[in-house]
Amino acid sequence: MNIIVCIKQVPDTTEVRIDPITKNLVREGVKSIVNPFDAYAIEEGVRLKEKFGGKVIALTMGPPQADAVLREAISLGCDEGVLVTDRAFAGSDTLATSYTLSKAIEKIKDYDIIICGKQAVDGDTAQVGPGIAATLDIPQITYVRKIDEIKDGLITAERATEDGYEIAQTKLPCLLTVVKEVNVPRLPSLKGKMKAKSAVITMWKAADIGGEENRLGLKGSPTEVWKIFTPPPRPQGKIYEGDAKEAVNQLVDAIKVINR
Amino acid sequence: MIDYLLTEEQLMIRDLCRQIADEKIRPMAAELDKTEEFPWEIMKVMAQSDLFGVYIDPKYGGMGGGVFELCIATEEFSKACGGIALCYSASALGTYPIILYGNDEQKQKYLPDLASGKKLAAFGLTEPSAGSDASALQTTADKQGDHYILNGVKHFITNGGDAETYTIIAMTDKKKGARGASLFVVEKGTPGFTFGKKEDKMGIRASSTRELIFNNCKIPKENLLGKEGMGFIAAMRTFDQSRPGIGAQALGIAQGALDHALRYSKQRKQFGQSISSFQGIQWMLADMATQVEASRALVYASAREVDAGKKDVAMHSAMAKMFASDVAMKVATDAVQIFGGYGYMKEYPAEKYMRDAKITQIYEGTNQIQRNIIAMALIKEMAK
């Protein structure tokens, strides 16, 4: 089973700063890490490899320094790293990113499952995973919290929802995005770290993946950032207390008001 | 910290061990100290990260380093918990006799599982009436045909009961005294080999300490390491290799206690300012840091000397063990002092470092025995 894990290098902070003019992330002076949700994707990919055989390729788009996250992925058990890097990709939004990664995946060609983290902690859009599936025209299961079974070209998985979970089944090849309940990522091994240090990272430029120029980078990005802010925390729920009967009546009244 | 010019590989080991110490050991240290539960989960993480093999030949599944690499790992783990670190390093102590005295067949048989961390090892020398006087051993190994029959009791054995592979010293010829001792490998599950109760200790409580009880325990003659009569020398040579490791454990405990004390001294306010602004505290911190660095220099230097294959390393490895453990006791005690009343409370981390530090002055030869070794070596050298 061949697996591609899509990962992203993100700044190591939850409070990212935004350049007021370009509306892009300020990366200077901030330590970069593997997007925390992608760590679960890496682990799940490596576990599938350990169970079914095959190999795991880690894929990222970013500046040349992003090869650090690919090396980290290799230290955690991935076999190869592919970095898609070109000035032409600068300013990509989620659409252009999905397109670019899809072109790279088409070039890798031989895969059964693509795994992404549910979202990146810098932009929090959760769009690139589904965007890749749409571009490649393959099925997807998002928010996977458990893979139940992979058999006869079919995958069955539990996808987390706000109030429980759904069981979804689809054909391979497919794309999964995973939530943190899916596994507990391992720490790197010494052999993995040594392998990562000497690993040769495959670097592809725009010409290598053969994308249409107007779908790459800023040109291929219809998104315009108008404003970025931290959403206010969800307000606390109301608890009706006191006499049970009275409290239930108050609760029912409140529901009626909402339903109106 | 002084730059000890570690190789890239050694830096990798250090960083990985530090990550394990911070993410896996530190959060569990207080809990396991209380429950005395053996840290199997953490042993599994260390195993998965290839750390049990850092001092073992790649030919037998290891990573190819030596005592120095073992010391780096032990130091990092000990910063977070001296007890959990000991479960790791005591396995190395049990493994060294096989590395030093095993033939190729024995190495092929035992080392790969120890290098991968699939099995832990333990070393059994001490007996109820043979501590510092290791020549007073009572445990016997009688040769009968193709087998040896073991009888006797080892006690205070670290990893006892939890380890799978035991290297033990027993008398094959009591009349010869120390020259009648031999070294054997005994595997858990061998009929006639059982364990006593788990000891309730002052410190290093996450590590297990039990008696090994041999009652007509029959082992094949192939389990003899080296030759008959070499047991005592083998034990001494094993300690020459392992003492820098005890030094590293003590060093880690001292550094961990210092780190806590330094951080606390910044946070704790009295008379309207951080206590770190008082010269009385500053001088304590300065002394502690200097002592820790001096013990690191000595531990690293002696470990490197062992790895370089120098012949007479007994004196320097004794110095490393003795100095680092005396420093650990002093620094951990001073850390409690800086924490003041809070330092005496189990809710704060300082007192545990003090309890953990104490054993490093006692085991693998008390520091009084280390001084004997150093003095003997000095006098011998002068007589040359």
Side-chain angles (χ1 to χ4, degrees):
Chain A
M1 177 166 296
N2 289 334
I3 293 146
I4 297 172
V5 178
C6 299
I7 61 178
K8 184 180 185 184
Q9 189 177 47
V10 296
D12 184 9
T13 167
T14 42
E15 278 303 311
V16 292
R17 284 182 303 129
I18 308 294
D19 186 310
I21 296 158
T22 64
K23 302 284 197 316
N24 279 330
L25 296 172
V26 178
R27 293 187 186 274
E28 284 74 40
V30 186
K31 203 184 138 220
S32 294
I33 57 166
V34 174
N35 171 42
F37 290 114
D38 298 346
Y40 302 99
I42 293 170
E43 177 68 27
E44 202 58 22
V46 173
R47 286 186 189 192
L48 287 178
K49 175 185 78 169
E50 286 167 351
K51 201 166 162 192
F52 297 104
K55 63 177 179 181
V56 185
I57 299 175
L59 169 66
T60 194
M61 179 181 100
Q65 320 67 291
D67 84 323
V69 290
L70 295 173
R71 288 186 196 279
E72 193 172 332
I74 291 169
S75 80
L76 292 164
C78 291
D79 301 280
E80 294 171 31
V82 176
L83 172 63
V84 195
T85 185
D86 199 312
R87 280 190 181 282
F89 303 146
S92 291
D93 67 359
T94 56
L95 184 71
T97 304
S98 304
Y99 176 74
T100 309
L101 289 173
S102 297
K103 295 309 283 182
I105 290 168
E106 280 173 357
K107 189 175 163 88
I108 294 170
K109 218 164 100 185
D110 188 19
Y111 64 90
D112 301 286
I113 301 180
I114 302 166
I115 311 177
C116 307
K118 71 159 180 164
Q119 65 197 49
V121 295
D122 51 0
D124 279 324
T125 66
Q127 290 170 356
V128 172
I132 294 170
T135 313
L136 293 172
D137 198 19
I138 58 170
Q140 58 179 301
I141 306 176
T142 51
Y143 302 106
V144 169
R145 66 170 208 179
K146 187 173 175 243
I147 295 176
D148 288 327
E149 197 181 44
I150 300 176
K151 214 174 126 187
D152 305 328
L154 290 174
I155 178 167
T156 313
E158 290 177 14
R159 61 184 305 266
T161 62
E162 281 219 345
D163 47 7
Y165 66 93
E166 299 168 354
I167 295 177
Q169 190 176 60
T170 189
K171 277 190 299 192
L172 300 183
C174 72
L175 180 141
L176 312 176
T177 75
V178 294
V179 294
K180 68 175 196 295
E181 287 74 22
V182 75
N183 58 44
V184 179
R186 72 194 69 186
L187 291 172
S189 69
L190 208 49
K191 284 178 191 154
K193 277 188 156 226
M194 286 173 188
K195 193 179 158 208
K197 198 187 76 144
S198 56
V200 178
I201 302 292
T202 305
M203 301 257 230
W204 285 340
K205 293 197 159 295
D208 298 318
I209 57 171
E212 294 167 40
E213 210 185 313
N214 59 355
R215 293 184 71 181
L216 297 175
L218 213 50
K219 274 192 216 160
S221 300
T223 309
E224 214 171 287
V225 180
W226 174 63
K227 187 180 165 191
I228 289 184
F229 61 96
T230 308
R234 214 182 267 208
Q236 264 199 329
K238 184 165 167 57
I239 297 171
Y240 297 92
E241 280 174 295
D243 177 58
K245 207 171 166 187
E246 183 58 24
V248 169
N249 282 339
Q250 287 177 3
L251 179 64
V252 170
D253 287 344
I255 293 170
K256 279 181 184 162
V257 173
I258 297 167
N259 269 354
R260 207 169 280 161
Chain B
M1 189 173 138
I2 292 174
D3 187 347
Y4 293 93
L5 308 173
L6 304 194
T7 63
E8 224 172 319
E9 207 165 294
Q10 289 161 349
L11 287 172
M12 258 183 219
I13 294 172
R14 191 189 69 188
D15 293 347
L16 185 54
C17 292
R18 196 170 283 179
Q19 191 182 356
I20 291 173
D22 288 339
E23 290 178 22
K24 305 287 176 186
I25 299 179
R26 220 174 272 283
M28 291 303 292
E31 175 68 16
L32 296 181
D33 176 55
K34 207 164 130 190
T35 61
E36 284 201 279
E37 212 178 293
F38 195 82
W40 281 117
E41 280 302 309
I42 297 168
M43 294 299 110
K44 244 171 75 185
V45 171
M46 292 174 180
Q48 205 170 41
S49 298
D50 305 322
L51 292 166
F52 279 100
V54 292
Y55 59 96
I56 296 175
D57 191 329
K59 198 175 153 197
Y60 305 110
M63 300 298 294
V67 171
F68 189 73
E69 281 74 11
L70 180 63
C71 283
I72 296 173
T74 305
E75 177 190 354
E76 291 304 323
F77 296 151
S78 301
K79 284 182 192 172
C81 176
I84 296 171
L86 179 62
C87 303
Y88 167 82
S89 60
S91 189
L93 175 63
T95 305
Y96 260 106
I98 303 174
I99 294 175
L100 295 173
Y101 291 95
N103 55 37
D104 189 56
E105 206 174 309
Q106 289 167 327
K107 288 180 183 179
Q108 290 288 4
K109 184 173 177 192
Y110 299 110
L111 292 182
D113 281 349
L114 296 170
S116 70
K118 195 173 155 206
K119 291 179 178 174
L120 296 182
F123 183 59
L125 171 67
T126 303
E127 296 182 4
S129 43
S132 292
D133 180 8
S135 59
L137 295 174
Q138 300 291 316
T139 300
T140 53
D142 292 320
K143 191 158 185 193
Q144 292 186 2
D146 286 346
H147 292 81
Y148 286 95
I149 310 292
L150 301 175
N151 276 294
V153 173
K154 297 285 171 186
H155 86 162
F156 295 166
I157 305 307
T158 305
N159 282 355
D162 293 302
E164 297 282 330
T165 307
Y166 295 80
T167 44
I168 65 134
I169 311 279
M171 303 301 292
T172 38
D173 189 348
K174 261 190 156 173
K175 294 188 299 276
K176 288 190 183 161
R179 289 202 177 126
S182 302
L183 180 63
F184 298 94
V185 183
V186 189
E187 285 172 287
K188 188 179 178 175
T190 308
F193 177 27
T194 54
F195 305 100
K197 71 166 177 52
K198 190 168 175 173
E199 304 290 346
D200 184 6
K201 303 188 295 294
M202 172 198 264
I204 54 164
R205 289 169 56 82
S207 83
S208 55
T209 311
R210 288 190 181 86
E211 277 181 341
L212 313 181
I213 302 162
F214 300 101
N215 187 4
N216 289 321
C217 172
K218 192 173 162 188
I219 55 169
K221 69 176 194 320
E222 288 74 33
N223 287 23
L224 174 74
L225 290 171
K227 293 192 190 107
E228 270 191 28
M230 278 174 66
F232 190 69
I233 296 162
M236 294 307 113
R237 265 204 66 204
T238 297
F239 285 144
D240 289 348
Q241 308 272 316
S242 67
R243 276 179 184 133
I246 300 297
Q249 183 199 18
L251 165 62
I253 292 171
Q255 182 71 60
L258 169 61
D259 292 345
H260 279 292
L262 181 61
R263 214 171 311 127
Y264 181 80
S265 73
K266 279 285 285 180
Q267 291 161 1
R268 174 69 172 168
K269 298 254 182 340
Q270 288 288 275
F271 308 102
Q273 50 197 314
S274 292
I275 61 168
S276 64
S277 63
F278 300 126
Q279 203 174 47
I281 300 288
Q282 288 173 354
W283 286 10
M284 281 176 83
L285 290 169
D287 284 343
M288 289 157 80
T290 308
Q291 287 154 0
V292 169
E293 202 57 61
S295 83
R296 182 173 289 116
L298 193 48
V299 167
Y300 284 12
S302 81
R304 281 173 166 159
E305 190 180 58
V306 172
D307 287 338
K310 286 276 161 63
K311 239 180 126 198
D312 292 318
V313 294
M315 175 163 76
H316 294 154
S317 66
M319 283 176 170
K321 188 269 181 189
M322 178 195 88
F323 186 79
S325 58
D326 283 349
V327 162
M329 198 61 227
K330 169 139 197 329
V331 168
T333 307
D334 286 347
V336 170
Q337 191 68 23
I338 288 174
F339 270 78
Y342 291 106
Y344 203 70
M345 303 300 156
K346 289 206 168 180
E347 212 185 319
Y348 285 77
E351 60 85 33
K352 178 180 177 291
Y353 284 90
M354 188 171 160
R355 285 186 286 113
D356 287 351
K358 187 62 209 174
I359 190 62
T360 62
Q361 294 181 301
I362 298 171
Y363 63 13
E364 285 198 46
T366 62
N367 281 6
Q368 287 67 37
I369 292 292
Q370 306 305 322
R371 287 174 170 88
N372 286 354
I373 295 169
I374 296 162
M376 289 304 290
L378 278 177
I379 293 162
K380 215 171 106 186
E381 223 164 67
M382 187 185 64
K384 265 182 196 167

